Amino acid sequence: MLVTATPELLNYVDAHGGSLFVRCQRQHLSRGVSFLRTTTNEPRSLAGYEVFVVEGRLVLTQLPVRSRPGELHLSMEGRRKRRPIASWDGCAFVV
């Protein structure tokens, strides 16, 4: 899996601890669709996370093994409050 990140995201990660965590979160009403969630806060347990190094920054992912993306793209989004987002082969959700 290729993990890419924008320079703006890399600066954000540097300012917030140096690591980014990406995982799938299933919504109750979405019927099998999981959305990608990103945070710089370390989860309680790192079990099941896969580690990638992107230009010297740690990116830890907890994604379904059955359908690996070809590319995980990390960038910043939001007009008023910028926040990190992840897209899986161009999509923000996983079916």
Side-chain angles (χ1 to χ4, degrees):
M1 176 171 69
L2 175 65
V3 180
T4 60
T6 62
E8 183 183 11
L9 177 105
L10 295 174
N11 291 336
Y12 178 87
V13 170
D14 286 342
H16 291 88
S19 299
L20 185 71
F21 302 90
V22 181
R23 64 183 176 87
C24 286
Q25 181 179 16
R26 187 171 299 257
Q27 299 292 334
H28 296 289
L29 301 174
S30 62
R31 297 188 175 157
V33 176
S34 297
F35 292 89
L36 296 173
R37 301 291 181 222
T38 59
T39 184
T40 54
N41 300 327
E42 187 172 335
R44 291 183 188 136
S45 172
L46 294 176
Y49 278 85
E50 187 175 355
V51 179
F52 294 91
V53 178
V54 179
E55 296 187 31
R57 285 74 163 193
L58 288 178
V59 176
L60 292 92
T61 63
Q62 189 179 47
L63 303 173
V65 177
R66 61 178 157 66
S67 56
R68 279 277 188 230
E71 180 179 359
L72 182 68
H73 182 73
L74 306 168
S75 60
M76 299 293 290
E77 182 180 82
R79 291 182 185 212
R80 289 185 219 151
K81 184 178 180 185
R82 304 289 286 168
R83 62 189 181 279
I85 62 160
S87 62
W88 167 302
D89 287 337
C91 298
F93 57 89
V94 180
V95 179

